[in-house]
Amino acid sequence: MYLFAGLKEQLETYLDKEQVKQIQDAYVVARDAHAGQLRSSGDPYITHPVAVARILSEYHFDPQTIMAALLHDVIEDCDVSKEELAEKFGDQVADLVEGVSKLTQIKFRTRAEAQAENFRKMMMAMVQDIRVILIKLADRLHNMRTLGSLKPEKRRRIANETLEIYAPIALRLGMYGIRGELEDLGFAARYPMRYRVLKESVRKARGNRKEIINTIIDNIQQRLEADVLHARVVGREKDLFSIYRKMKEKRTSLTEVMDVYAFRVICDTEDTCYRILGFLHSLYIPIPGRFKDYIAIPKANGYQSLHTTLKGPHGLHIEVQIRTDAMDQMAENGVAAHWLYKSSNDTNPAELKAREWMKSLMELQSRAGDSMEFIENVKIDLFPDEVFVFTPNGSIIVLPHGATPVDFAYAIHTDVGNSCIACKINRQIMPLSTPLINGSTVEIITAPGAKPNPSWLSFVITGKARANIRHFLKNLRLDEALSLGERLLDQALGEKSLDDFDAELKQQIATKTKHKNFEEVLTEIGLGRLAAIVIAHRLMPKEETAVEEDTNEKKPLAIRGTEGLLVSYAKCCHPIPYEPIVAFVSAGRGIIIHRADCKNVAKHQTDEHKYMPVQWEEGIQGEFSIELRVVVFNDRGVLAKVTSVIAEAEANIVNIDIDQQDGATNALNFTMTVRDRVHLANIIRRVRQLKFVNKISRSK
Ligand code: MN
């Protein structure tokens, strides 16, 4: 309990007894879960979550956040399940802990600057609840404070991540305080030499300036007190990292950066701010063009202050910021200010607080009419409509919400999209239609010669994927139509083959039928807009060959199962290999294969312009869809047993519908794919052997 004492004391300042008791329970669970674990400093592990909770308690966060902070590493490190947490501490705490664990799992892997921006966005997008980010920031802050005991390589990596990812997130949430500390610690760990040298130089420079600074503070203070204005005047020291950044970006020397003396005056009201400004301008001469009124026109991130630069004693430049307490707190704490200044027993949910914060920014902005860019960015980050996923090498791809692996493939490259056949999401093979989730790693499996599938159009959502698939299919359709047309005509020619006729005759026929060339004629046949038999007649005038008489000996067209879009299988009778079949020629849509005994075609098969004889090619490979209806007596686990028998027989079940019949039986309607008739017979035989099966039949 010793470790908990300090935190408890802090909690008691703003929470009631019952709430503190709950938090104490969470502490005990965390302590026991981490028992025996040590940090690399040698301290017991539990010191870390307690410190994280402590940081958050200073912002007066709600009990759930504090409990989640205490428990934030138990899912990741101690095999405690989310369900256990939910049972003991409620869903909110469990969700928060899980959210933090998920963020911990994703690692910032590439160096590219642009990726850092996307990575930040992804982290924000992954959280449903802004408190997850705030816990993560506190976690990172404590890890940075205790970085010293890690190996140099790891220290550098974590420091880099802090500077690239976490400090900017803190800035984005308006939390200047945490951001400043993260940057300072990150700078020290990332560039230890530069940090030491700069720190020493700044220390010396500050030493020399101390006297001047105190004189200026005294002067200002006296001037204000003379007019009975209550205000605090503080000397403002720039963070080392911001000095470093300024030197680097503006290529200035340390002396130039340090040559500016900066102060902050904090008072009670907006009105007082302007009065103080007036007095300061009468004390020292203001430098023209340096006055900025960020109270009337706040900065885009909600920052408010008056800025002015004065010419001080010995011609020194004095920068002054004037602001109220509230403006100061907002500038320091950002979104967290909404926890800090609400009463302890308000139950305002986190998202509402985040929205409130956004709203306050918007209100400031609407007064200012300034750039909305920052707010737009924050809004997108907090309430995203995009998903962020990784490629296997760690690059981040940004896609609209609901995007699928096919969208992802086209986002990488058109060729990848066109030749993709499967995908792995987090190393597991998943359907290409799976909606992607933030933070997933997606790997696209391609095969040379693979083609886009028309069914993709039903689930892709990016314009790029859609346009590419459409474009490809249009060309593909014409290619397929051409080769099908060739085969259809060949078949209509009976004994003869297309090659027996010379090009001149073919061109004549094309011209007569108003086509550019014979290929176009073949394409039209393939598309079903022109009957093969008609062209066959033109190629072979009656006197030469009696086509009519040969009709019976026409070799039926062999169906290979690989014809593509222009050969399809009728939904009414679901033909499968080696059953007798017939083809219906449908204008513009190619041919549709029916079972020869299908009711829908039985009466009309003699019309040779619409129907043609076909047969299955020997050794055809593929999966063909059928429907099977199984009537079973009600019994426990019936569905599972039937399904597993079907699966054991190597059929893929695509869909199952259940018809409630009377109390005694149910009808299970399976849609599945099979290889051929023998395969189907085998499945039916196995299912029939089950003792609770009453009837089994193939639909229609
Ligand atoms: Mn941690």
Side-chain angles (χ1 to χ4, degrees), residues 45 48 52 72-73 139 143:
Y45 195 88
H48 165 65
V52 174
H72 80 267
D73 280 328
D139 174 47
N143 283 336

Coordinates of all heavy atoms in Angstrom, one line a residue, residues 45 48 52 72-73 139 143, ligand 1:
Y45 N 7.7 -3.3 -11.2 CA 7.0 -2.8 -12.3 C 5.9 -1.9 -12.0 O 5.6 -0.9 -12.6 CB 6.5 -4.0 -13.2 CG 6.1 -3.4 -14.6 CD1 7.1 -3.4 -15.6 CD2 4.8 -3.0 -14.8 CE1 6.7 -2.8 -16.8 CE2 4.5 -2.4 -16.0 CZ 5.5 -2.4 -17.0 OH 5.1 -1.8 -18.2
H48 N 5.5 1.9 -12.3 CA 5.3 2.6 -13.5 C 3.8 3.0 -13.7 O 3.4 4.2 -13.8 CB 5.8 1.8 -14.7 CG 5.3 2.2 -16.0 ND1 5.5 3.5 -16.6 CD2 4.5 1.6 -16.9 CE1 4.9 3.5 -17.8 NE2 4.3 2.4 -18.0
V52 N 2.0 6.7 -13.8 CA 1.1 7.2 -14.9 C -0.2 7.7 -14.4 O -0.7 8.7 -14.8 CB 0.9 6.0 -16.0 CG1 -0.1 6.4 -17.0 CG2 2.2 5.6 -16.6
H72 N -3.0 -0.3 -17.2 CA -2.8 -0.2 -18.7 C -1.9 -1.2 -19.3 O -1.9 -1.5 -20.5 CB -2.3 1.2 -19.0 CG -0.9 1.5 -18.8 ND1 -0.4 2.1 -17.6 CD2 0.2 1.3 -19.6 CE1 0.9 2.2 -17.7 NE2 1.3 1.7 -18.9
D73 N -1.0 -1.9 -18.5 CA -0.1 -2.9 -19.1 C -0.5 -4.3 -18.8 O 0.2 -5.2 -19.1 CB 1.3 -2.6 -18.6 CG 2.0 -1.5 -19.4 OD1 1.7 -1.4 -20.6 OD2 2.8 -0.8 -18.8
D139 N 1.7 7.7 -20.2 CA 2.5 6.5 -20.2 C 3.9 6.8 -20.8 O 5.0 6.6 -20.3 CB 1.8 5.4 -21.0 CG 2.7 4.2 -21.2 OD1 3.3 3.7 -20.2 OD2 2.7 3.7 -22.3
N143 N 7.7 7.0 -19.2 CA 8.7 6.2 -19.8 C 9.9 7.1 -20.2 O 11.1 6.7 -20.0 CB 8.2 5.4 -21.0 CG 7.5 4.2 -20.6 OD1 7.6 3.7 -19.5 ND2 6.6 3.7 -21.4
Ligands
MN1 MN 3.3 1.5 -19.8

